[in-house]
Amino acid sequence: MSKDFNTAEEAKAIMYDINDQLCRLPYNPDLSKLCYNICDMVEELSKLEVYTRRTPPRSRYHVEYNKMREEIRAAIKHLENLILMLRLMS
């Protein structure tokens, strides 16, 4: 399982690792699509992180940033569980 992340850069590093794991497994277009969608979410998180740094602590960007970060954490955990099942099946 991957480490937890606090910034978009850390999330990108986790996604690179997951993508590398997917490349070593038999081709599965569904998992690849899920990985690319999470990468898109991480890009959006990166943009929100910039807005969050520019605004006061109680702005709506902070709420959106925290919500998206939790969604990405859940999606990464789900993808890692699917990769584990694929490893066990192959």
Side-chain angles (χ1 to χ4, degrees), residues 20-85:
D20 188 43
Q21 291 176 26
L22 279 176
C23 290
R24 288 190 228 132
L25 294 172
Y27 180 68
N28 190 324
D30 296 331
L31 292 183
S32 296
K33 181 71 174 173
L34 184 57
C35 183
Y36 291 130
N37 287 342
I38 295 172
C39 287
D40 288 342
M41 290 172 69
V42 170
E43 290 298 321
E44 287 296 317
L45 182 71
S46 178
K47 292 175 187 175
L48 272 175
E49 190 173 343
V50 171
Y51 290 130
T52 301
R53 289 181 183 163
R54 293 179 182 171
T55 58
R58 301 209 185 270
S59 70
R60 70 178 176 97
Y61 292 115
H62 287 271
V63 174
E64 290 177 23
Y65 175 77
N66 290 329
K67 181 180 175 188
M68 181 168 273
R69 196 170 66 185
E70 291 303 318
E71 289 174 0
I72 292 172
R73 280 186 180 134
I76 287 174
K77 185 175 180 180
H78 180 69
L79 179 58
E80 286 177 334
N81 288 337
L82 291 173
I83 289 172
L84 178 62
M85 286 191 316

